[in-house]
Each structure stands twice: as C-alpha cells, then as structure tokens.
Amino acid sequence: MRLTLERMMKKSGIDDVDIFHQMGAVDAYLQVKQTQGKNVDQKLLWMFAGAIEGCHWTLLNESHKSVLLQQLEQKKQHFKPPRGAEQHPCDFI
C-alpha cells in the first residue's frame, strides 16, 4: 500500500499489519472512514481487500467485491464509532 494509506490507517488506530489483517478490509475501511470522513471512497475498500489478498485492487473479481459490499452494508448498520467520536448521519453514504 501507499504511504498515504498507511498514515491514514495509523491515524485511525490501526497500528500494524497484524491488526489490519485481523480486522479485515471492511472493518478497517469503516474505521478509516470514521476518522477521515469525506476523503474516503469505496476504492479504499478495494485497496484494503487487495492488500489482504496480496494482489492489486484492480485484480479483485466482481464476486469478491460484491461480497465486500454486502458485508459493508451489514456492518454499517451495527457500526459504533469509537468513544468520543462524533458521528454525522451523512457520514455513511
């Protein structure tokens, strides 16, 4: 991953690769989106998934992306922001 993404993850509390792998692409995406807000789009989810799978995000097949989107929609409904973080209702578009 690019250094910029690693810095975003670090600022979001994802301090190392093991934590990133344990969290998975969807949870890492939600956590980064919570702290980075509008600067984050769906492409970041693909990048995280590609990093976990060990391939470039453009090589992820459509069925894998579809599963990730389903997981994302399910987790958005139950996602709780970190304590003390303010959440705007439009943050999860």
Side-chain angles (χ1 to χ4, degrees):
M1 281 194 298
R2 298 183 320 234
L3 183 58
T4 305
L5 295 179
E6 291 180 22
R7 286 181 180 155
M8 286 171 63
M9 292 171 61
K10 183 89 168 164
K11 286 181 182 178
S12 300
I14 305 169
D15 294 327
D16 62 44
V17 175
D18 290 334
I19 292 171
F20 173 61
H21 281 274
Q22 289 172 6
M23 291 180 76
V26 174
D27 286 336
Y29 171 80
L30 284 171
Q31 191 160 327
V32 170
K33 182 151 179 72
Q34 181 64 38
T35 58
Q36 300 295 316
K38 296 177 184 175
N39 297 329
V40 174
D41 64 13
Q42 196 173 52
K43 182 178 167 184
L44 183 63
L45 177 59
W46 308 150
M47 290 176 167
F48 284 170
I52 289 172
E53 296 295 321
C55 67
H56 193 270
W57 68 271
T58 59
L59 298 176
L60 294 173
N61 63 44
E62 291 303 315
S63 64
H64 188 78
K65 289 180 181 179
S66 179
V67 168
L68 289 168
L69 289 176
Q70 289 173 355
Q71 291 173 353
L72 179 62
E73 287 305 313
Q74 290 174 348
K75 292 200 177 213
K76 276 184 189 178
Q77 295 171 7
H78 304 292
F79 184 75
K80 292 187 172 51
R83 209 167 248 249
E86 292 183 29
Q87 181 179 6
H88 187 274
C90 297
D91 283 347
F92 295 118
I93 297 174

Coordinates of all heavy atoms in Angstrom, one line a residue:
M1 N 0.8 -1.2 0.0 CA 0.0 0.0 0.0 C 0.9 1.2 0.0 O 2.0 1.2 0.4 CB -0.9 0.0 1.2 CG -2.1 -0.9 1.1 SD -3.3 -0.6 2.4 CE -2.5 -0.9 3.9
R2 N 0.3 2.3 -0.4 CA 1.0 3.6 -0.4 C 1.2 4.1 1.0 O 0.4 3.8 1.9 CB 0.2 4.6 -1.3 CG 0.0 4.2 -2.7 CD -0.7 5.3 -3.5 NE -1.8 5.9 -2.8 CZ -3.0 6.0 -3.2 NH1 -3.3 5.5 -4.4 NH2 -4.0 6.6 -2.5
L3 N 2.2 4.9 1.2 CA 2.5 5.5 2.5 C 1.3 6.3 3.0 O 1.0 6.3 4.2 CB 3.8 6.3 2.4 CG 4.3 7.0 3.7 CD1 4.5 5.9 4.7 CD2 5.5 7.8 3.4
T4 N 0.6 7.0 2.1 CA -0.5 7.9 2.5 C -1.6 7.0 3.1 O -2.1 7.4 4.2 CB -1.1 8.5 1.2 OG1 -0.1 9.3 0.6 CG2 -2.3 9.4 1.6
L5 N -1.9 5.8 2.6 CA -2.9 4.9 3.2 C -2.4 4.4 4.5 O -3.2 4.3 5.5 CB -3.1 3.8 2.2 CG -3.8 4.1 0.9 CD1 -4.0 2.9 0.1 CD2 -5.1 4.9 1.1
E6 N -1.1 4.1 4.6 CA -0.6 3.6 5.9 C -0.7 4.7 7.0 O -1.1 4.4 8.1 CB 0.8 3.2 5.7 CG 1.0 1.9 4.9 CD 2.4 1.5 4.7 OE1 3.3 1.8 5.6 OE2 2.7 0.7 3.8
R7 N -0.5 5.9 6.6 CA -0.7 7.0 7.6 C -2.1 7.2 8.0 O -2.4 7.5 9.1 CB -0.1 8.3 7.0 CG 1.4 8.4 6.9 CD 1.9 9.7 6.3 NE 3.3 9.7 6.3 CZ 4.1 10.4 5.5 NH1 3.5 11.2 4.6 NH2 5.4 10.3 5.5
M8 N -3.0 7.1 7.0 CA -4.5 7.2 7.3 C -4.9 6.1 8.3 O -5.6 6.3 9.3 CB -5.3 7.0 6.1 CG -5.3 8.2 5.2 SD -6.1 7.9 3.5 CE -7.7 7.6 4.0
M9 N -4.4 4.9 8.1 CA -4.7 3.8 9.0 C -4.1 4.0 10.4 O -4.8 3.8 11.4 CB -4.1 2.5 8.4 CG -4.9 2.1 7.1 SD -4.1 0.7 6.3 CE -4.2 -0.6 7.5
K10 N -2.9 4.5 10.4 CA -2.2 4.8 11.7 C -3.1 5.8 12.5 O -3.3 5.7 13.7 CB -0.8 5.3 11.5 CG 0.0 5.5 12.7 CD 0.7 4.3 13.2 CE 1.7 4.6 14.3 NZ 2.1 3.5 15.0
K11 N -3.5 6.9 11.8 CA -4.3 7.9 12.5 C -5.6 7.4 12.9 O -6.2 7.9 13.9 CB -4.5 9.1 11.5 CG -3.3 10.0 11.3 CD -3.6 11.1 10.4 CE -2.4 11.9 10.1 NZ -2.6 13.0 9.2
S12 N -6.1 6.3 12.3 CA -7.4 5.7 12.7 C -7.3 4.7 13.7 O -8.2 4.0 14.1 CB -8.0 5.1 11.4 OG -8.2 6.1 10.4
G13 N -6.0 4.4 14.2 CA -5.8 3.5 15.3 C -5.4 2.1 14.8 O -5.4 1.1 15.6
I14 N -5.2 1.9 13.6 CA -4.7 0.6 13.0 C -3.2 0.7 13.0 O -2.7 1.2 12.0 CB -5.4 0.3 11.7 CG1 -6.9 0.4 11.8 CG2 -4.9 -1.1 11.2 CD1 -7.6 0.4 10.4
D15 N -2.6 0.2 14.0 CA -1.2 0.5 14.2 C -0.2 -0.5 13.5 O 1.0 -0.2 13.3 CB -0.8 0.4 15.7 CG -1.5 1.6 16.4 OD1 -1.7 2.7 15.8 OD2 -1.9 1.4 17.6
D16 N -0.6 -1.7 13.1 CA 0.3 -2.6 12.5 C -0.4 -3.5 11.5 O -1.7 -3.6 11.5 CB 1.2 -3.3 13.5 CG 0.4 -4.2 14.4 OD1 -0.5 -4.9 14.0 OD2 0.7 -4.2 15.6
V17 N 0.3 -4.3 10.8 CA -0.2 -5.2 9.8 C -1.1 -6.3 10.4 O -2.1 -6.7 9.8 CB 0.9 -5.8 8.9 CG1 0.4 -6.8 7.9 CG2 1.7 -4.7 8.2
D18 N -0.6 -6.8 11.5 CA -1.4 -7.9 12.2 C -2.8 -7.4 12.5 O -3.8 -8.1 12.3 CB -0.7 -8.4 13.4 CG 0.6 -9.2 13.1 OD1 0.7 -9.7 11.9 OD2 1.5 -9.2 13.9
I19 N -2.9 -6.2 13.1 CA -4.2 -5.7 13.4 C -5.1 -5.5 12.2 O -6.2 -5.9 12.2 CB -4.1 -4.4 14.2 CG1 -3.5 -4.6 15.6 CG2 -5.4 -3.6 14.3 CD1 -3.1 -3.3 16.3
F20 N -4.4 -5.0 11.1 CA -5.1 -4.8 9.9 C -5.7 -6.1 9.3 O -6.9 -6.2 9.0 CB -4.2 -4.2 8.9 CG -4.7 -4.1 7.4 CD1 -5.8 -3.3 7.2 CD2 -4.0 -4.7 6.4 CE1 -6.3 -3.2 5.9 CE2 -4.5 -4.6 5.1 CZ -5.6 -3.8 4.8
H21 N -4.9 -7.2 9.3 CA -5.3 -8.5 8.9 C -6.4 -9.0 9.8 O -7.4 -9.7 9.2 CB -4.2 -9.4 8.7 CG -3.3 -9.2 7.5 ND1 -3.7 -9.8 6.3 CD2 -2.2 -8.5 7.3 CE1 -2.8 -9.4 5.4 NE2 -1.9 -8.6 6.0
Q22 N -6.3 -8.9 11.1 CA -7.3 -9.4 12.0 C -8.7 -8.6 11.7 O -9.7 -9.3 11.8 CB -6.9 -9.2 13.4 CG -5.8 -10.1 13.8 CD -5.2 -9.8 15.2 OE1 -5.7 -8.9 15.9 NE2 -4.2 -10.4 15.6
M23 N -8.6 -7.3 11.5 CA -9.8 -6.6 11.3 C -10.5 -6.9 10.0 O -11.7 -7.0 9.9 CB -9.5 -5.1 11.2 CG -9.1 -4.5 12.5 SD -8.7 -2.7 12.4 CE -10.4 -2.1 12.3
G24 N -9.7 -7.1 9.0 CA -10.3 -7.4 7.6 C -10.5 -6.0 6.9 O -10.5 -5.0 7.5
A25 N -10.8 -6.1 5.6 CA -10.9 -5.0 4.8 C -12.1 -4.1 5.2 O -12.0 -2.9 5.2 CB -11.0 -5.4 3.3
V26 N -13.2 -4.7 5.5 CA -14.5 -3.9 5.8 C -14.3 -3.2 7.1 O -14.6 -1.9 7.1 CB -15.7 -4.9 5.8 CG1 -16.9 -4.1 6.2 CG2 -15.9 -5.5 4.4
D27 N -13.9 -3.8 8.1 CA -13.8 -3.1 9.4 C -12.7 -2.0 9.3 O -12.9 -0.9 9.9 CB -13.4 -4.1 10.5 CG -14.7 -4.9 10.9 OD1 -15.8 -4.4 10.7 OD2 -14.5 -6.0 11.5
A28 N -11.6 -2.3 8.7 CA -10.5 -1.3 8.5 C -11.1 -0.1 7.7 O -10.8 1.1 8.1 CB -9.3 -1.9 7.8
Y29 N -11.8 -0.4 6.7 CA -12.4 0.7 5.9 C -13.3 1.6 6.7 O -13.3 2.8 6.7 CB -13.2 0.1 4.7 CG -14.0 1.1 3.9 CD1 -13.4 1.9 3.0 CD2 -15.4 1.2 4.1 CE1 -14.2 2.8 2.3 CE2 -16.1 2.1 3.4 CZ -15.5 2.9 2.5 OH -16.3 3.8 1.8
L30 N -14.2 0.9 7.5 CA -15.2 1.7 8.3 C -14.4 2.5 9.4 O -14.8 3.7 9.6 CB -16.1 0.7 9.0 CG -17.2 0.2 8.2 CD1 -18.0 -0.9 8.9 CD2 -18.2 1.3 7.7
Q31 N -13.4 2.0 9.9 CA -12.6 2.7 10.9 C -11.9 3.9 10.3 O -11.9 5.0 10.9 CB -11.6 1.8 11.6 CG -11.0 2.5 12.9 CD -10.4 1.5 13.8 OE1 -10.9 0.3 13.9 NE2 -9.4 1.8 14.5
V32 N -11.3 3.7 9.2 CA -10.6 4.9 8.5 C -11.7 5.9 8.0 O -11.4 7.1 8.2 CB -9.8 4.3 7.3 CG1 -9.2 5.5 6.5 CG2 -8.6 3.5 7.9
K33 N -12.8 5.4 7.5 CA -13.8 6.3 7.0 C -14.3 7.2 8.2 O -14.6 8.4 8.0 CB -15.0 5.6 6.4 CG -16.0 6.5 5.8 CD -16.7 6.0 4.7 CE -17.8 6.9 4.1 NZ -17.3 8.0 3.4
Q34 N -14.4 6.6 9.4 CA -14.9 7.3 10.5 C -14.0 8.5 10.9 O -14.4 9.6 11.2 CB -15.0 6.4 11.7 CG -15.5 7.0 13.0 CD -16.9 7.6 12.9 OE1 -17.8 6.9 12.2 NE2 -17.2 8.7 13.4
T35 N -12.7 8.3 10.8 CA -11.7 9.3 11.1 C -11.4 10.3 10.0 O -11.1 11.4 10.2 CB -10.4 8.7 11.7 OG1 -9.8 7.9 10.7 CG2 -10.7 8.0 13.0
Q36 N -11.4 9.8 8.7 CA -11.0 10.6 7.6 C -12.2 11.2 6.9 O -12.0 12.1 6.1 CB -10.2 9.7 6.6 CG -9.0 9.1 7.1 CD -8.0 10.2 7.5 OE1 -7.7 11.1 6.8 NE2 -7.4 10.0 8.7
G37 N -13.4 10.7 7.1 CA -14.6 11.3 6.6 C -14.8 11.3 5.1 O -14.6 10.3 4.4
K38 N -15.0 12.4 4.5 CA -15.3 12.5 3.1 C -14.2 12.3 2.2 O -14.3 12.1 1.0 CB -15.9 13.9 2.8 CG -17.2 14.2 3.5 CD -17.7 15.6 3.2 CE -19.0 15.8 4.0 NZ -19.5 17.1 3.9
N39 N -13.0 12.2 2.7 CA -11.8 11.9 1.9 C -11.7 10.5 1.5 O -10.8 10.1 0.8 CB -10.5 12.3 2.7 CG -10.5 13.8 3.0 OD1 -11.0 14.6 2.2 ND2 -9.9 14.1 4.1
V40 N -12.6 9.6 2.0 CA -12.5 8.2 1.7 C -13.7 7.8 0.8 O -14.8 8.1 1.1 CB -12.6 7.4 3.1 CG1 -12.7 6.0 2.9 CG2 -11.5 7.8 4.0
D41 N -13.4 7.0 -0.2 CA -14.4 6.4 -1.0 C -14.3 4.9 -1.1 O -13.4 4.3 -0.5 CB -14.4 7.1 -2.4 CG -13.1 6.8 -3.2 OD1 -12.3 5.9 -2.8 OD2 -12.9 7.5 -4.3
Q42 N -15.2 4.3 -1.9 CA -15.2 2.9 -2.0 C -13.9 2.2 -2.5 O -13.6 1.1 -2.2 CB -16.4 2.5 -2.8 CG -16.9 1.1 -2.7 CD -18.1 0.9 -3.5 OE1 -18.2 1.2 -4.7 NE2 -19.1 0.3 -2.9
K43 N -13.2 3.0 -3.3 CA -12.0 2.4 -3.8 C -11.0 2.0 -2.7 O -10.3 1.1 -2.9 CB -11.3 3.5 -4.7 CG -10.0 3.1 -5.4 CD -9.5 4.2 -6.3 CE -8.1 4.0 -6.7 NZ -7.6 5.1 -7.5
L44 N -11.1 2.7 -1.6 CA -10.2 2.3 -0.4 C -10.6 0.9 0.1 O -9.7 0.2 0.4 CB -10.4 3.4 0.7 CG -9.5 3.1 1.9 CD1 -8.0 3.2 1.5 CD2 -9.8 4.1 3.0
L45 N -11.8 0.6 0.1 CA -12.2 -0.8 0.4 C -11.6 -1.8 -0.5 O -11.0 -2.8 0.0 CB -13.8 -0.9 0.4 CG -14.3 -2.3 0.7 CD1 -13.9 -2.8 2.1 CD2 -15.8 -2.3 0.6
W46 N -11.6 -1.5 -1.8 CA -10.9 -2.4 -2.7 C -9.4 -2.5 -2.5 O -8.8 -3.6 -2.5 CB -11.2 -2.0 -4.2 CG -12.6 -1.8 -4.6 CD1 -12.9 -0.9 -5.6 CD2 -13.8 -2.3 -4.2 NE1 -14.3 -0.9 -5.8 CE2 -14.8 -1.8 -4.9 CE3 -14.1 -3.3 -3.2 CZ2 -16.2 -2.1 -4.7 CZ3 -15.4 -3.7 -3.0 CH2 -16.5 -3.1 -3.8
M47 N -8.8 -1.4 -2.2 CA -7.4 -1.3 -1.9 C -7.1 -2.2 -0.7 O -6.1 -2.9 -0.6 CB -6.9 0.1 -1.7 CG -6.9 0.9 -2.9 SD -6.4 2.6 -2.5 CE -6.1 3.2 -4.2
F48 N -7.9 -2.0 0.4 CA -7.6 -2.8 1.6 C -7.8 -4.3 1.3 O -7.0 -5.1 1.8 CB -8.6 -2.4 2.7 CG -8.2 -1.1 3.4 CD1 -9.1 -0.5 4.3 CD2 -7.0 -0.5 3.2 CE1 -8.8 0.7 4.9 CE2 -6.7 0.7 3.8 CZ -7.6 1.3 4.7
A49 N -8.8 -4.7 0.6 CA -9.1 -6.1 0.2 C -7.9 -6.6 -0.6 O -7.5 -7.7 -0.4 CB -10.4 -6.2 -0.5
G50 N -7.5 -5.8 -1.6 CA -6.3 -6.3 -2.4 C -5.1 -6.5 -1.5 O -4.4 -7.5 -1.7
A51 N -4.8 -5.6 -0.6 CA -3.7 -5.7 0.3 C -3.8 -7.0 1.1 O -2.8 -7.7 1.3 CB -3.6 -4.5 1.2
I52 N -4.9 -7.3 1.6 CA -5.1 -8.5 2.4 C -5.0 -9.8 1.5 O -4.4 -10.8 2.0 CB -6.5 -8.5 3.1 CG1 -6.4 -7.4 4.3 CG2 -6.8 -9.9 3.7 CD1 -7.7 -7.2 4.9
E53 N -5.5 -9.7 0.3 CA -5.4 -10.8 -0.6 C -4.0 -11.0 -1.2 O -3.7 -12.0 -1.9 CB -6.5 -10.7 -1.7 CG -7.9 -10.8 -1.2 CD -8.2 -12.1 -0.6 OE1 -7.8 -13.2 -1.1 OE2 -8.9 -12.1 0.5
G54 N -3.2 -9.9 -1.1 CA -1.9 -10.0 -1.7 C -1.9 -9.7 -3.2 O -1.0 -10.2 -4.0
C55 N -2.8 -8.9 -3.7 CA -2.9 -8.5 -5.1 C -3.3 -7.0 -5.2 O -3.8 -6.4 -4.3 CB -3.9 -9.4 -5.9 SG -5.6 -9.1 -5.4
H56 N -3.1 -6.5 -6.4 CA -3.5 -5.1 -6.7 C -5.0 -5.1 -6.7 O -5.7 -6.1 -7.2 CB -3.0 -4.7 -8.0 CG -3.1 -3.2 -8.2 ND1 -4.2 -2.6 -8.8 CD2 -2.3 -2.2 -7.9 CE1 -4.1 -1.3 -8.9 NE2 -2.9 -1.0 -8.3
W57 N -5.6 -4.0 -6.2 CA -7.1 -4.0 -6.0 C -7.8 -4.1 -7.4 O -9.0 -4.6 -7.4 CB -7.5 -2.7 -5.3 CG -7.3 -1.4 -6.1 CD1 -6.1 -0.7 -6.1 CD2 -8.2 -0.8 -7.0 NE1 -6.3 0.4 -7.0 CE2 -7.5 0.4 -7.5 CE3 -9.5 -1.1 -7.4 CZ2 -8.1 1.2 -8.4 CZ3 -10.1 -0.2 -8.3 CH2 -9.4 0.9 -8.8
T58 N -7.2 -3.8 -8.5 CA -7.9 -3.9 -9.8 C -8.0 -5.3 -10.2 O -8.8 -5.6 -11.1 CB -7.1 -3.1 -10.9 OG1 -5.8 -3.6 -11.0 CG2 -7.1 -1.6 -10.6
L59 N -7.3 -6.2 -9.5 CA -7.4 -7.7 -9.9 C -8.5 -8.4 -9.1 O -8.7 -9.6 -9.3 CB -6.1 -8.3 -9.6 CG -4.9 -7.8 -10.5 CD1 -3.6 -8.5 -10.1 CD2 -5.2 -8.0 -12.0
L60 N -9.2 -7.7 -8.2 CA -10.2 -8.3 -7.4 C -11.4 -8.6 -8.3 O -11.8 -7.8 -9.1 CB -10.7 -7.4 -6.3 CG -9.7 -7.1 -5.1 CD1 -10.3 -6.1 -4.2 CD2 -9.4 -8.4 -4.4
N61 N -12.0 -9.8 -8.3 CA -13.1 -10.1 -9.2 C -14.4 -9.5 -8.6 O -14.5 -9.2 -7.5 CB -13.2 -11.6 -9.4 CG -13.5 -12.4 -8.2 OD1 -14.4 -12.0 -7.4 ND2 -12.8 -13.5 -8.0
E62 N -15.3 -9.4 -9.5 CA -16.6 -8.8 -9.2 C -17.4 -9.5 -8.0 O -18.0 -8.8 -7.2 CB -17.5 -8.6 -10.4 CG -16.9 -7.6 -11.4 CD -16.7 -6.2 -10.8 OE1 -17.6 -5.7 -10.1 OE2 -15.6 -5.6 -11.1
S63 N -17.3 -10.8 -8.0 CA -18.0 -11.5 -6.9 C -17.4 -11.2 -5.6 O -18.1 -11.1 -4.6 CB -18.0 -13.0 -7.2 OG -16.7 -13.6 -7.2
H64 N -16.1 -11.1 -5.5 CA -15.4 -10.7 -4.2 C -15.8 -9.3 -3.8 O -16.1 -9.1 -2.7 CB -13.9 -10.8 -4.4 CG -13.1 -10.6 -3.1 ND1 -13.0 -11.6 -2.2 CD2 -12.5 -9.6 -2.6 CE1 -12.3 -11.2 -1.2 NE2 -12.0 -10.0 -1.4
K65 N -15.9 -8.4 -4.8 CA -16.3 -7.0 -4.5 C -17.8 -7.0 -4.0 O -18.1 -6.3 -3.1 CB -16.2 -6.1 -5.7 CG -14.7 -5.8 -6.1 CD -14.7 -4.9 -7.3 CE -13.3 -4.6 -7.7 NZ -13.3 -3.7 -8.9
S66 N -18.6 -7.8 -4.6 CA -20.0 -7.9 -4.2 C -20.1 -8.4 -2.8 O -20.9 -7.8 -2.0 CB -20.7 -8.8 -5.2 OG -22.1 -8.9 -4.8
V67 N -19.4 -9.4 -2.4 CA -19.4 -9.9 -1.0 C -18.9 -8.8 -0.1 O -19.5 -8.6 1.0 CB -18.5 -11.2 -0.9 CG1 -18.3 -11.5 0.6 CG2 -19.1 -12.3 -1.6
L68 N -17.9 -8.1 -0.4 CA -17.4 -7.0 0.4 C -18.5 -5.9 0.6 O -18.7 -5.4 1.7 CB -16.1 -6.4 -0.2 CG -14.9 -7.2 -0.1 CD1 -13.8 -6.6 -1.0 CD2 -14.4 -7.4 1.3
L69 N -19.2 -5.6 -0.5 CA -20.2 -4.6 -0.4 C -21.4 -5.1 0.5 O -21.9 -4.3 1.3 CB -20.8 -4.2 -1.7 CG -19.8 -3.4 -2.6 CD1 -20.4 -3.2 -4.0 CD2 -19.5 -2.0 -2.0
Q70 N -21.7 -6.3 0.5 CA -22.8 -6.9 1.3 C -22.3 -6.8 2.8 O -23.1 -6.4 3.7 CB -23.1 -8.3 0.9 CG -23.8 -8.5 -0.4 CD -24.0 -9.9 -0.8 OE1 -23.4 -10.8 -0.2 NE2 -24.7 -10.1 -1.9
Q71 N -21.1 -7.2 3.0 CA -20.5 -7.1 4.4 C -20.5 -5.7 4.9 O -20.9 -5.4 6.0 CB -19.1 -7.7 4.5 CG -19.0 -9.2 4.3 CD -17.6 -9.7 4.2 OE1 -16.6 -8.9 4.1 NE2 -17.4 -11.0 4.1
L72 N -20.2 -4.8 4.0 CA -20.1 -3.3 4.4 C -21.5 -2.8 4.8 O -21.7 -2.2 5.8 CB -19.6 -2.5 3.2 CG -19.5 -1.0 3.4 CD1 -18.5 -0.7 4.6 CD2 -19.0 -0.3 2.1
E73 N -22.5 -3.2 4.0 CA -23.9 -2.7 4.3 C -24.3 -3.3 5.6 O -25.0 -2.6 6.4 CB -24.8 -3.1 3.2 CG -24.7 -2.3 1.9 CD -24.8 -0.8 2.2 OE1 -25.7 -0.4 2.9 OE2 -23.9 -0.1 1.7
Q74 N -24.0 -4.6 5.9 CA -24.4 -5.2 7.2 C -23.7 -4.5 8.3 O -24.3 -4.2 9.4 CB -24.1 -6.7 7.2 CG -25.0 -7.5 6.3 CD -24.5 -8.9 6.2 OE1 -23.4 -9.3 6.6 NE2 -25.4 -9.8 5.6
K75 N -22.4 -4.2 8.2 CA -21.6 -3.7 9.3 C -22.0 -2.2 9.5 O -21.9 -1.7 10.6 CB -20.2 -3.9 9.0 CG -19.8 -5.3 9.1 CD -18.3 -5.5 9.4 CE -18.1 -7.0 9.5 NZ -17.0 -7.3 10.4
K76 N -22.4 -1.5 8.5 CA -22.7 -0.1 8.6 C -23.9 0.1 9.6 O -24.0 1.0 10.4 CB -23.2 0.5 7.3 CG -22.1 1.0 6.4 CD -22.7 1.6 5.2 CE -21.7 2.0 4.1 NZ -22.4 2.6 3.0
Q77 N -24.8 -0.9 9.5 CA -26.0 -0.8 10.4 C -25.6 -1.0 11.9 O -26.3 -0.6 12.7 CB -27.0 -1.9 10.0 CG -27.5 -1.7 8.6 CD -28.4 -2.9 8.1 OE1 -28.6 -3.8 8.8 NE2 -28.8 -2.8 6.8
H78 N -24.5 -1.7 12.1 CA -24.2 -2.1 13.5 C -22.9 -1.4 14.0 O -22.5 -1.6 15.1 CB -24.0 -3.6 13.7 CG -25.2 -4.3 13.2 ND1 -26.4 -4.3 13.9 CD2 -25.4 -5.2 12.2 CE1 -27.3 -5.1 13.3 NE2 -26.7 -5.6 12.3
F79 N -22.3 -0.6 13.1 CA -21.0 0.1 13.4 C -21.2 1.1 14.5 O -22.1 2.0 14.4 CB -20.4 0.7 12.2 CG -19.0 1.3 12.4 CD1 -17.9 0.5 12.5 CD2 -18.9 2.7 12.5 CE1 -16.7 1.0 12.8 CE2 -17.6 3.2 12.7 CZ -16.5 2.4 12.9
K80 N -20.4 1.0 15.5 CA -20.4 2.0 16.5 C -19.1 2.8 16.5 O -18.0 2.2 16.5 CB -20.6 1.4 17.9 CG -21.9 0.8 18.1 CD -22.1 0.3 19.5 CE -23.4 -0.2 19.8 NZ -24.2 -1.0 19.3
P81 N -19.1 4.1 16.4 CA -17.9 4.9 16.3 C -17.1 4.8 17.6 O -17.7 4.5 18.6 CB -18.3 6.3 16.0 CG -19.7 6.3 16.5 CD -20.3 5.0 16.3
P82 N -15.8 5.0 17.6 CA -15.0 5.0 18.8 C -15.6 6.0 19.8 O -16.1 7.0 19.4 CB -13.6 5.4 18.4 CG -13.6 5.1 16.9 CD -15.0 5.3 16.4
R83 N -15.4 5.7 21.1 CA -15.9 6.6 22.1 C -15.4 8.0 22.0 O -14.2 8.1 21.7 CB -15.5 6.0 23.5 CG -16.4 6.3 24.6 CD -16.0 5.5 25.8 NE -17.1 4.5 26.0 CZ -17.8 4.6 27.1 NH1 -17.6 5.5 28.0 NH2 -18.8 3.8 27.2
G84 N -16.2 9.0 22.1 CA -15.8 10.3 22.0 C -15.8 10.9 20.6 O -15.7 12.1 20.3
A85 N -16.0 10.0 19.6 CA -16.0 10.4 18.2 C -17.4 10.9 17.8 O -18.4 10.1 18.1 CB -15.6 9.3 17.3
E86 N -17.6 12.0 17.2 CA -18.9 12.5 16.8 C -19.2 11.9 15.5 O -18.3 11.8 14.6 CB -18.9 14.0 16.7 CG -18.8 14.6 18.1 CD -18.9 16.2 18.0 OE1 -19.5 16.6 17.0 OE2 -18.3 16.8 18.8
Q87 N -20.4 11.5 15.3 CA -20.8 10.9 14.0 C -21.9 11.7 13.4 O -22.9 12.0 14.1 CB -21.3 9.5 14.2 CG -21.7 8.8 12.9 CD -22.1 7.3 13.2 OE1 -22.2 6.9 14.3 NE2 -22.3 6.6 12.1
H88 N -21.8 12.1 12.2 CA -22.8 12.8 11.5 C -23.6 11.8 10.7 O -23.1 10.8 10.2 CB -22.1 13.8 10.5 CG -23.1 14.7 9.8 ND1 -23.7 14.4 8.7 CD2 -23.5 16.0 10.2 CE1 -24.5 15.4 8.4 NE2 -24.4 16.3 9.2
P89 N -24.9 12.0 10.6 CA -25.8 11.0 10.0 C -25.4 10.7 8.5 O -25.7 9.7 8.0 CB -27.2 11.5 10.1 CG -27.1 12.7 11.0 CD -25.7 13.1 11.2
C90 N -24.8 11.7 7.9 CA -24.4 11.5 6.5 C -23.0 10.9 6.2 O -22.6 10.8 5.1 CB -24.5 12.9 5.8 SG -26.2 13.5 5.8
D91 N -22.4 10.6 7.3 CA -21.0 10.0 7.2 C -21.0 8.7 6.4 O -20.0 8.4 5.8 CB -20.3 9.8 8.5 CG -19.9 11.1 9.1 OD1 -19.8 12.1 8.4 OD2 -19.5 11.2 10.3
F92 N -22.0 7.9 6.5 CA -22.0 6.6 5.8 C -23.0 6.6 4.6 O -24.0 6.1 4.7 CB -22.4 5.5 6.8 CG -21.4 5.3 7.9 CD1 -21.8 5.5 9.2 CD2 -20.1 5.0 7.6 CE1 -20.9 5.3 10.2 CE2 -19.2 4.8 8.6 CZ -19.6 4.9 9.9
I93 N -22.5 7.3 3.6 CA -23.4 7.4 2.4 C -23.3 6.1 1.6 O -22.3 5.5 1.5 CB -22.9 8.6 1.5 CG1 -23.2 9.8 2.4 CG2 -23.7 8.6 0.2 CD1 -22.7 11.1 1.7

